[in-house]
Amino acid sequence: MTAAEISVILGIVGTVVSLAEKYGPEAYDTVLSAIEQSKSGTGPSDADIAALFAKCQADNAAIQAS
């Protein structure tokens, strides 16, 4: 792993942690779900992407309401 790859990973981890601290564990769960889907060899299906988008919208609505 190169220094650039490590830097990117640390940047993503920092962003996820700050989102979870600010908006609660829902943000972490959504990001984790997106990462797990993107790791698959074939990638997420259209339905997976639609479900993730709906989850993001619901998380955002909950955040805005709080």
Side-chain angles (χ1 to χ4, degrees):
M1 193 176 294
T2 67
E5 291 170 332
I6 292 170
S7 177
V8 169
I9 291 169
L10 290 175
I12 292 169
V13 169
T15 300
V16 170
V17 168
S18 66
L19 285 171
E21 287 175 348
K22 187 172 184 180
Y23 299 116
E26 295 84 9
Y28 172 77
D29 293 338
T30 301
V31 171
L32 184 60
S33 175
I35 291 169
E36 287 174 353
Q37 289 177 5
S38 69
K39 289 188 330 185
S40 115
T42 59
S45 68
D46 291 344
D48 292 336
I49 293 170
L52 182 59
F53 182 69
K55 174 78 170 110
C56 289
Q57 286 180 315
D59 288 351
N60 185 50
I63 290 164
Q64 298 305 320
S66 63

